[in-house]
Amino acid sequence: MGKLVFTEFFQQFPVKVLTVALLIILIVYFIRKFIKLFFDKTSFLDEKREETLMHFSNQVTRVVGLAFFFIYVLSHFFDFGKILTSSVVLASALAIILQHIIRDYIMGLTYLFERQIHHGDYVILNGNRQGKIEEITMRYLKIRQYDGYLYTVSYSNITELQNGTRGRRRVNESLILNYRQNPDDAFKVMEQVAQTCNEKYGQYLLKDVNGIPIESFRFNQITELNVDFKGHQYSLSGLVKEADFVEAGQKVRYELAMAAYKNDLMMAESFETSH
């Protein structure tokens, strides 16, 4: 009698759903533990690559676990076999509706397995969003911008992705000067700024095994003419350590601003007043 009551208890729908949910949670937990243990015991991948795969596998196991759970619950109300075999139109409609989601998954797998991105990389997305990759999911990226905001973008909306070389970043700052500014005078000032940056901020520069900077701060002359019909662009760049990229950029911008002020360089203006 007791065995019968016990069996009937586990045949109740809420109990069956709860049991399946707990089972799926345990399976997902052990799969994640196994993957983590595997990476801890092996060393054929670099640390960032392992961290990226861990984040991605956590997302995959969560989505797959939820999918199995919802399919199990809905199977008590719908006959999925008949629906899938008899409704080609429904399948086509679902494919059209979910095409963006499917594209996100495919592009996410492409970015991951082609090693284009890693967790912790500094990237520029679509030319106007830049920061550190904080989370990699199956459908989207989350990057922490320099202003502190967390930016989320789906893979299908990424039209351009620039990934700063891991371990090195190139600071590239510039002044846009009025077209009436004498280029010879501007060249002298910019050369002096480059020299000042090398003397004051040499600790930020990326160095080789002999302690020699791979690429010091240098003046790149005029890199663009008539920018937005305002003036000409004079650029300065240098190869720095990734961890110092933000601070080095701030220092270089300060030196450029101070040099422009002290030497009365003619900055570009949005318009000029005629007299």
Side-chain angles (χ1 to χ4, degrees):
M1 183 68 179
K3 184 177 180 180
L4 181 61
V5 173
F6 185 78
T7 303
E8 290 179 351
F9 174 76
F10 274 95
Q11 290 299 318
Q12 296 179 22
F13 179 68
V15 177
K16 290 168 68 175
V17 170
L18 181 60
T19 303
V20 170
L22 291 174
L23 183 61
I24 291 175
I25 291 172
L26 283 174
I27 292 173
V28 169
Y29 172 79
F30 283 116
I31 289 176
R32 291 181 176 180
K33 278 292 184 182
F34 174 78
I35 294 173
K36 186 178 186 304
L37 182 64
F38 173 78
F39 286 134
D40 288 342
K41 297 296 183 181
T42 58
S43 58
F44 59 88
L45 293 176
D46 60 82
E47 185 178 346
K48 280 196 172 183
R49 179 70 172 163
E50 290 181 354
E51 191 175 0
T52 300
L53 288 174
M54 280 291 297
H55 276 269
F56 200 80
S57 63
N58 288 343
Q59 292 293 325
V60 171
T61 52
R62 183 175 66 180
V63 171
V64 172
L66 286 172
F68 273 111
F69 176 73
F70 285 120
I71 289 173
Y72 173 77
V73 173
L74 293 176
S75 66
H76 289 78
F77 303 96
F78 304 98
D79 189 341
F80 285 107
K82 289 183 179 179
I83 293 176
L84 292 175
T85 55
S86 62
S87 183
V88 177
V89 176
L90 177 61
S92 301
L94 285 174
I96 295 173
I97 294 172
L98 300 176
Q99 62 178 329
H100 292 293
I101 297 177
I102 295 171
R103 191 193 315 169
D104 286 337
Y105 286 134
I106 294 174
M107 293 182 67
L109 289 171
T110 302
Y111 279 120
L112 178 66
F113 288 105
E114 288 185 354
R115 303 188 179 188
Q116 296 185 38
I117 53 174
H118 293 83
H119 184 265
D121 282 354
Y122 289 89
V123 296
I124 301 176
L125 300 179
N126 301 336
N128 60 0
R129 300 284 185 174
Q130 59 180 309
K132 182 178 181 180
I133 296 179
E134 195 163 284
E135 185 177 349
I136 298 176
T137 73
M138 294 178 66
R139 288 193 56 207
Y140 54 81
L141 282 179
K142 288 185 178 182
I143 65 171
R144 181 69 63 179
Q145 300 180 127
Y146 297 137
D147 57 11
Y149 286 98
L150 189 65
Y151 176 63
T152 302
V153 58
S154 61
Y155 294 111
S156 60
N157 288 327
I158 298 176
T159 58
E160 179 185 359
L161 187 149
Q162 301 175 49
N163 193 336
T165 306
R166 287 176 291 278
R168 60 173 70 183
R169 295 294 304 278
R170 178 172 282 103
V171 169
N172 195 345
E173 302 294 342
S174 60
L175 288 178
I176 299 178
L177 303 179
N178 193 294
Y179 63 90
R180 290 195 174 96
Q181 171 66 54
N182 186 332
D184 289 337
D185 294 338
F187 273 40
K188 293 176 183 178
V189 174
M190 294 296 291
E191 292 283 6
Q192 183 59 50
V193 172
Q195 182 179 341
T196 300
C197 289
N198 284 318
E199 293 172 354
K200 295 176 63 174
Y201 312 120
Q203 72 272 21
Y204 297 131
L205 292 170
L206 188 68
K207 299 177 176 62
D208 60 19
V209 293
N210 298 316
I212 300 174
I214 296 175
E215 181 185 307
S216 299
F217 293 111
R218 64 184 182 185
F219 172 44
N220 299 314
Q221 302 189 10
I222 299 177
T223 52
E224 189 173 349
L225 290 173
N226 205 19
V227 180
D228 296 329
F229 305 104
K230 297 177 182 179
H232 310 319
Q233 180 173 274
Y234 298 72
S235 297
L236 184 151
S237 66
L239 202 60
V240 301
K241 291 173 283 189
E242 183 173 320
D244 298 326
F245 175 73
V246 175
E247 187 172 356
Q250 293 172 344
K251 299 294 187 184
V252 172
R253 288 193 294 273
Y254 169 81
E255 295 298 337
L256 287 171
M258 183 59 70
Y261 169 73
K262 287 183 176 180
N263 294 277
D264 293 324
L265 295 181
M266 299 173 62
M267 302 298 294
E269 299 178 1
S270 57
F271 63 90
E272 294 184 359
T273 304
S274 58
H275 298 282

